[in-house]
């Protein structure tokens, strides 16, 4: 069974700190890894990673994938209180026509205190 | 461009009643996915649909649950004879193509009393 594990499960930091969130996976026929930010409602898409070693960046957020070691990290620099959320990692995997299912980790709850 | 719409946002049902959850995908998206999020658990895939077709329902419980995506109108997730264990947040996502990032709706929080 496909498995996605995120760590830590929760994290409390002060504004301005830098955080690194981890996601490791064991899946058959990996296609891509996605990061989402979930506040009180819809998970919001952040990044989709398919190739190893290529960093994706959006403002203060960045992410990279290591397909050899089967993990990804999400970095947030100069954190702000608005970054407080649950960060979800999901892996798209499957063969033939079934490579659309997302398997999610349980998420990392990030709290940024002023 | 409106995002994925789901309604209702909150639904309370008594045991034995039926629950109907609706999802309108983003404009131009023809692929719809339903996920369930139980308390303290991650999102779990339930079903993948295209217009008028169920492509994969391997994540759906075999009984009481059904889904459809008619030619006209929203996708519907239907739960018959709800039980307390059905209480969860149900999220719908859509994508323009099958191999593409999925965009999520705000979810429907079902509470069974």
């Amino acid at each position: 069974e496909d498995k996605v594990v995120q760590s830590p499960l929760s994290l409390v930091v002060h504004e301005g700190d830098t955080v690194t969130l981890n996601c490791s996976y064991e899946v058959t026929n990996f296609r891509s890894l996605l990061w989402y930010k979930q506040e009180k409602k819809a998970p919001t898409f952040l990044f989709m990673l398919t190739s190893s070693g290529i960093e994706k960046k959006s403002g203060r957020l960045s992410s990279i994938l290591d397909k050899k070691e089967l993990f990804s990290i999400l970095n947030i620099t100069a954190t702000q209180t608005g970054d407080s959320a649950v960060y979800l990692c999901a892996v798209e995997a499957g063969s033939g026509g079934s490579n659309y299912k997302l398997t999610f980790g349980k998420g990392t709850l990030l709290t940024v205190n002023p | 461009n409106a995002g994925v719409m789901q309604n209702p946002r909150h639904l309370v049902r008594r045991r034995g009643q039926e629950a109907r959850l609706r999802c309108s995908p983003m404009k131009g998206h023809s692929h719809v996915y339903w996920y369930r999020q139980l308390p303290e658990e991650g999102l779990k895939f339930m079903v993948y649909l295209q217009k008028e077709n169920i492509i994969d329902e391997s994540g759906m419980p075999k009984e009481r649950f059904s889904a459809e995506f008619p030619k006209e109108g929203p996708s519907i997730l239907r739960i018959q004879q709800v039980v307390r264990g059905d209480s969860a947040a149900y999220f719908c996502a859509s994508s323009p193509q099958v191999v593409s990032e999925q965009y999520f709706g705000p979810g429907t929080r079902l509470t069974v009393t």
Side-chain angles (χ1 to χ4, degrees):
Chain A
E1 188 180 321
D2 294 344
K3 196 167 146 186
V4 177
V5 178
Q6 292 186 245
S7 64
L9 288 181
S10 65
L11 188 56
V12 180
V13 300
H14 291 291
E15 266 192 316
D17 287 351
T18 293
V19 296
T20 298
L21 309 183
N22 304 292
C23 176
S24 63
Y25 60 90
E26 289 176 34
V27 302
T28 304
N29 296 314
F30 173 90
R31 296 273 313 182
S32 64
L33 185 145
L34 299 91
W35 284 97
Y36 289 86
K37 177 183 181 183
Q38 186 176 23
E39 293 168 275
K40 291 205 189 293
K41 38 184 184 175
T44 306
F45 172 75
L46 295 175
F47 298 112
M48 184 178 191
L49 303 153
T50 54
S51 302
S52 260
I54 298 173
E55 185 183 52
K56 292 229 173 167
K57 206 166 162 60
S58 175
R60 296 176 294 102
L61 276 65
S62 63
S63 183
I64 197 160
L65 174 67
D66 186 327
K67 287 165 78 171
K68 186 179 174 191
E69 300 297 329
L70 308 182
F71 78 90
S72 173
I73 60 172
L74 176 68
N75 276 322
I76 310 174
T77 58
T79 51
Q80 302 171 358
T81 55
D83 295 327
S84 297
V86 175
Y87 289 83
L88 299 171
C89 173
V91 172
E92 183 183 25
S95 58
S98 68
N99 55 332
Y100 44 76
K101 292 181 189 179
L102 294 181
T103 300
F104 280 85
K106 292 188 180 181
T108 293
L109 172 61
L110 174 65
T111 304
V112 182
N113 289 325
Chain B
N1 187 10
V4 178
M5 311 282 282
Q6 286 188 251
N7 67 79
R9 294 290 306 279
H10 299 275
L11 183 61
V12 179
R13 284 287 177 265
R14 290 202 180 116
R15 276 181 298 172
Q17 290 185 319
E18 179 180 287
R20 277 188 184 233
L21 288 62
R22 293 174 189 77
C23 168
S24 296
M26 285 179 74
K27 191 175 178 182
H29 288 194
S30 58
H31 302 265
V32 166
Y33 317 82
W34 285 93
Y35 293 84
R36 177 163 65 174
Q37 188 172 39
L38 291 164
E40 310 304 321
E41 295 288 326
L43 284 150
K44 300 267 190 234
F45 168 80
M46 296 182 77
V47 61
Y48 161 43
L49 310 106
Q50 294 180 30
K51 281 286 184 183
E52 298 186 279
N53 285 306
I54 296 173
I55 308 302
D56 184 344
E57 55 184 347
S58 60
M60 289 252 281
K62 295 281 185 277
E63 295 175 354
R64 302 187 298 107
F65 284 72
S66 62
E68 62 177 14
F69 189 13
K71 191 175 176 183
E72 302 289 338
S75 174
I76 307 280
L77 179 68
R78 184 177 172 213
I79 312 172
Q80 294 178 292
Q81 298 173 341
V82 295
V83 301
R84 287 224 172 99
D86 297 332
S87 295
Y90 292 82
F91 288 91
C92 167
S94 72
S95 66
Q97 304 159 38
V98 66
V99 183
S100 177
E101 60 267 23
Q102 295 176 19
Y103 293 88
F104 282 79
T108 294
R109 273 150 186 84
L110 171 66
T111 303
V112 179
T113 61

